[in-house]
Amino acid sequence: MKTIYFDNAATTPVRKEVLTEIMPYFSDIYANASSVYDIAAKSRRAVEKAREQVAKAIGAQKDEIYFTAGGSESDNWAIKGTADALSKKGKHIITTQIEHHAVLHTCEFLEKHGWDITYLPVDEYGLISLDDLKNAIRPDTVLISVMFANNEIGTIEPIAEIGKIAREHGIYFHTDAVQAVGHVKIDVKEMNIDMLSMSGHKLGAPKGVGVLFVRKGITISNLIHGGGQEKGKRAGTENTAGIVGMGKAIELATAEIDETGKYLTMLRDRVIKGITENIDFCRLNGHREKRLPGNVNISFEFIEGESLLLLLNSKGICASSGSACTSGSLDPSHVLLAIGLEHEKAHGSLRITLSKENTVEEVDYLIKELIPIVKRLREMSPLYEDYLNGEKAV
Amino acid sequence: MEYSAKVMDHFMNPRNMGQIEDADGVGTVGNAKCGDIMKIYLDIDDEGIVRDAKFKTFGCGAAVATSSMATELVKGKSVDEAMDVTNKAVMEALDGLPPVKVHCSCLAEEAIHAALWDYCEKNGRKIEGLKKPVNDIDELHG
């Protein structure tokens, strides 16, 4: 059976062009980029080329790009690094209820160390309110951290407006752009972004490499202490192959951003239409337009997500869900609860995240297979039975 | 987390899925908040033998598989013997469950007990060791 991969927000395969580019850095060009001999210069040049590629993709300067081990490290560094550097100025951070756990759990960690965190609510589409943000700002606020686009429901936040507000108040602005980079146009200058996190494996680079953009003039403390790599800001021997992959992948994604965006939007809308027109009692989660081009998130009433994923898997389809059973806790996704979904609807969510490798045939196959799967699970569901009995009673 | 082949078999091909009209005992446990609801129907003859058992479940793969297995195990047993269908027995019959899914087997045991309690109430019977199920299903896992 053919595998159809619809979980590109979880991770992506390394792109062929990227793989070709990085292969020499595992064996032939192995020297430590920090060494003095000739062959080390090749590694060093490769790292610096990648730094330029990344900078260009987001409108940054080359020396504002720091390579990390991934999106989670970048988020941790931005938040803890700001907290450490600015604790004398104030101990208040503003973030949102729908951040990735790399941000939320970092903020919870700081709360244990005496920090005050405001978690902004979101509306039914997952958007924060700029008025809420303004009202939350206090004299001791030192950081605003709002994700660029949500990983579960795909909602794109008003980043430029947030950046403007932060800048006017002289507050650092960090954005977790792990899901947005390569999918949505980003200009850190225009958008007044001070720090931006990204991850390689979400856009066709290998796992284990990420970036934190830190605007010149922004002071944050180090997270990883050790050698003098990354201008003494982030220790650890450069992951040359990963970094080269990051540079190549972001260059490709940025060059193709319009074309890929158009294609993914077409596929996405086909999935949304196909599902919502053929299956009763379902709703699209997230914003209809302010949405990542490749994200679909739909809740099906009366059924539970893990069962749905297992049955899709039996048809070769890989997808994800915000149900508790897939999160390893009893609570369903914090994002779906934050947009106001009842627990049972949050348990029955399905996330499809597309890539340019997906085809119209694949999404049509998904829709065709999904219809009987939802029907089957509803026939098994006591909630659906109760609903039908209620209908009869009326 | 990976399911045993037996769990997957009972999930993909659930035994006894459905409902029994005018069942002698019906039990519902769990709550939608936590993502698991099990409803078990028992058809019990005059001798107190479980002639048939059916289930409906809202929940994950393990919830469906434990419902399926619990109904299989309880069929043909006397109502007293049905008390032997514990969460442990269900788990063993399924070749184990991932640690985070053990609560599903507990839910299956509770659902059987709730259905037996309903039968006892309707028929003025008592089963040794059977306790009144938690009325508000939200209390169970909330």
Side-chain angles (χ1 to χ4, degrees), chain A residues 62-355:
Chain A
K62 188 172 168 270
D63 54 2
E64 295 173 320
I65 302 299
Y66 298 89
F67 289 108
T68 67
S72 291
E73 185 195 322
S74 299
D75 286 341
N76 269 265
W77 183 16
I79 296 167
K80 291 178 189 164
T82 301
D84 185 70
L86 300 185
S87 63
K88 287 208 176 68
K89 201 179 156 207
K91 288 185 125 182
H92 178 234
I93 292 173
I94 300 169
T95 184
T96 79
Q97 292 177 358
I98 62 162
E99 295 299 308
H100 189 274
H101 285 130
V103 168
L104 285 182
H105 289 168
T106 303
C107 288
E108 285 161 19
F109 168 81
L110 288 177
E111 279 181 303
K112 284 190 207 137
H113 292 269
W115 283 73
D116 209 0
I117 316 282
T118 299
Y119 299 93
L120 296 175
V122 292
D123 67 12
E124 58 176 313
Y125 303 110
L127 289 167
I128 67 155
S129 134
L130 295 174
D131 285 334
D132 283 353
L133 172 64
K134 284 180 206 155
N135 292 335
I137 292 172
R138 314 190 315 210
D140 60 340
T141 308
V142 296
L143 177 68
I144 295 168
S145 180
V146 177
M147 69 198 325
F148 207 112
N150 184 266
N151 49 313
E152 292 186 39
I153 56 174
T155 300
I156 299 170
E157 299 296 335
I159 293 302
E161 289 84 346
I162 298 167
K164 189 164 171 272
I165 293 167
R167 189 61 58 86
E168 282 165 5
H169 287 81
I171 300 166
Y172 285 6
F173 173 40
H174 165 251
T175 184
D176 172 353
V178 164
Q179 296 291 338
V181 170
H183 297 284
V184 182
K185 283 182 187 162
I186 300 176
D187 188 312
V188 290
K189 269 203 203 77
E190 260 176 35
M191 295 174 163
N192 287 313
I193 296 167
D194 294 318
M195 287 173 277
L196 179 144
S197 302
M198 55 176 105
S199 163
H201 73 102
K202 310 283 192 190
L203 67 150
K207 292 156 186 71
V209 64
V211 164
L212 183 65
F213 153 80
V214 184
R215 190 172 65 81
K216 232 180 275 173
I218 295 289
T219 314
I220 61 169
S221 302
N222 288 9
L223 180 70
I224 309 286
H225 298 91
Q229 292 88 356
E230 301 295 287
K231 292 185 286 160
K233 294 302 292 176
R234 199 279 185 183
T237 298
E238 294 84 350
N239 169 12
T240 317
I243 289 169
V244 168
M246 178 88 217
K248 182 70 180 173
I250 199 168
E251 186 183 73
L252 290 170
T254 315
E256 299 161 354
I257 203 161
D258 289 327
E259 190 191 337
T260 308
K262 236 182 257 166
Y263 178 67
L264 293 186
T265 304
M266 180 275 292
L267 282 185
R268 176 194 78 187
D269 293 347
R270 194 177 175 97
V271 176
I272 293 172
K273 191 164 178 280
I275 292 176
T276 53
E277 284 184 0
N278 287 292
I279 300 178
D280 287 343
F281 308 112
C282 64
R283 61 160 266 171
L284 177 72
N285 297 316
H287 198 280
R288 189 65 191 79
E289 284 93 32
K290 291 171 189 165
R291 178 179 205 100
L292 286 173
N295 174 290
V296 178
N297 189 310
I298 291 181
S299 281
F300 300 93
E301 283 189 57
F302 317 119
I303 64 173
E304 192 276 335
E306 192 205 80
S307 290
L308 186 58
L309 297 186
L310 289 171
L311 290 175
L312 285 171
N313 178 57
S314 76
K315 299 290 176 189
I317 299 168
C318 309
S320 80
S321 167
S323 88
C325 281
T326 57
S327 73
S329 74
L330 281 179
D331 282 321
S333 143
H334 65 286
V335 177
L336 297 177
L337 296 180
I339 61 170
L341 250 62
E342 296 95 331
H343 273 71
E344 48 267 52
K345 286 183 193 165
H347 283 298
S349 76
L350 174 68
R351 183 186 74 173
I352 299 291
T353 44
L354 304 155
S355 83

Side-chain angles (χ1 to χ4, degrees), chain A residues 306-307 325 347 376 380 385, chain B residues 3 12 33 41 57 59 61:
Chain A
E306 192 205 80
S307 290
C325 281
H347 283 298
R376 170 179 171 170
M380 203 186 282
E385 185 188 310
Chain B
Y3 288 134
M12 293 304 293
K33 197 164 175 270
Y41 304 82
T57 289

Side-chain angles (χ1 to χ4, degrees), chain B residues 14-87:
Chain B
R15 281 52 148 191
N16 313 311
M17 201 281 283
Q19 61 193 91
I20 297 173
E21 294 286 331
D22 305 318
D24 299 293
V26 182
T28 306
V29 295
N31 71 65
K33 197 164 175 270
C34 296
D36 298 297
I37 297 176
M38 279 183 202
K39 188 169 187 180
I40 285 185
Y41 304 82
L42 298 176
D43 174 18
I44 298 166
D45 70 12
D46 296 341
E47 313 293 309
I49 305 293
V50 179
R51 266 190 307 224
D52 198 8
K54 297 263 188 215
F55 79 88
K56 284 219 172 175
T57 289
F58 164 85
C60 62
V64 172
T66 53
S67 312
S68 167
M69 184 53 91
T71 49
E72 277 290 271
L73 292 176
V74 86
K75 275 203 289 187
K77 287 195 165 61
S78 72
V79 288
D80 295 302
E81 289 165 347
M83 292 298 288
D84 298 339
V85 182
T86 59
N87 79 301

